[in-house]
Amino acid sequence: MFVEIDKESFDFNQYRTVRERSIGRIFWRLKRYTSNFIEPRLHALGYTDFKMSYLMFLSNIEESGITNNELAKRACVTKQMMSKIVGLLETEGYIYTEKNPNDSRSSIIFLNERGKALFVNLKSCMQEAREKFDLIVGHERMEQVVDTMVELVNKLESEEQ
């Protein structure tokens, strides 16, 4: 329902205060900063086709592989979208697929050597970002931030099931 207000009742100072502490906005800004920090470093290492958005797919692939349907579920995208992304990631050389021995209609998705090497390089780029964060707020406070976010997402995701 749309609420009408008069010009005098809207307080921009209060709006700015709320905006500054908005959880969604804070997460978005940190994600944007982290992506802008890490992606160019990976490009400089030869992953010129890599986009940080690929991580929500690649990071869910297990050593024993994963089906398209399970990967779509974990990445919160449709099966059709996942099929397109799998094709793209396979073309760009981060993954490979094999026929599912238990279901000939599906494939199992695996990280290939380039995909594994990406994660090795990504680890050092993420560590560099983390060191920057530690310099700003201190290592212990950053550990508390990470612990708190892990606890939140684990609890919230367990409630979804």
Side-chain angles (χ1 to χ4, degrees):
M1 180 174 169
F2 179 72
V3 177
E4 288 191 40
I5 59 170
D6 59 62
K7 291 180 183 180
E8 292 80 35
S9 65
F10 187 80
D11 181 354
F12 267 101
N13 288 329
Q14 183 181 25
Y15 170 72
R16 278 188 282 282
T17 300
V18 169
R19 182 180 65 191
E20 188 66 26
R21 297 194 56 83
S22 165
I23 296 290
R25 188 167 188 262
I26 292 167
F27 287 159
W28 175 79
R29 290 173 65 197
L30 277 170
K31 181 191 174 303
R32 185 185 65 190
Y33 173 81
T34 304
S35 294
N36 290 339
F37 185 87
I38 292 172
E39 202 169 281
R41 283 163 172 76
L42 289 173
H43 289 182
L45 294 170
Y47 300 96
T48 56
D49 56 357
F50 182 78
K51 295 176 179 55
M52 288 297 286
S53 60
Y54 295 172
L55 279 182
M56 71 182 203
F57 308 106
L58 294 172
S59 65
N60 283 298
I61 299 174
E62 302 292 339
E63 183 178 0
S64 59
I66 190 168
T67 64
N68 188 75
N69 291 351
E70 182 61 28
L71 187 54
K73 185 174 154 185
R74 287 186 186 183
C76 300
V77 298
T78 65
K79 290 183 255 184
Q80 294 81 4
M81 175 61 77
M82 193 70 254
S83 293
K84 288 180 184 179
I85 293 163
V86 164
L88 171 75
L89 294 173
E90 193 166 24
T91 299
E92 293 182 358
Y94 294 103
I95 62 170
Y96 69 96
T97 59
E98 291 181 358
K99 282 288 180 199
N100 187 339
N102 301 322
D103 180 359
S104 61
R105 298 168 297 163
S106 71
S107 296
I108 307 289
I109 303 159
F110 298 91
L111 285 175
N112 66 14
E113 293 311 310
R114 185 173 191 231
K116 292 173 185 174
L118 168 77
F119 277 100
V120 170
N121 287 293
L122 178 64
K123 182 180 177 186
S124 65
C125 293
M126 293 179 97
Q127 183 59 40
E128 190 180 343
R130 173 60 192 265
E131 288 167 3
K132 186 169 182 129
F133 298 160
D134 286 357
L135 284 173
I136 295 168
V137 299
H139 180 75
E140 289 305 314
R141 282 183 63 198
M142 199 59 216
E143 280 295 302
Q144 290 174 341
V145 168
V146 172
D147 290 345
T148 301
M149 289 191 303
V150 167
E151 183 179 346
L152 277 170
V153 296
N154 287 341
K155 178 65 176 166
L156 293 171
E157 286 177 351
S158 73
E159 290 176 358
E160 289 177 350
Q161 300 170 8

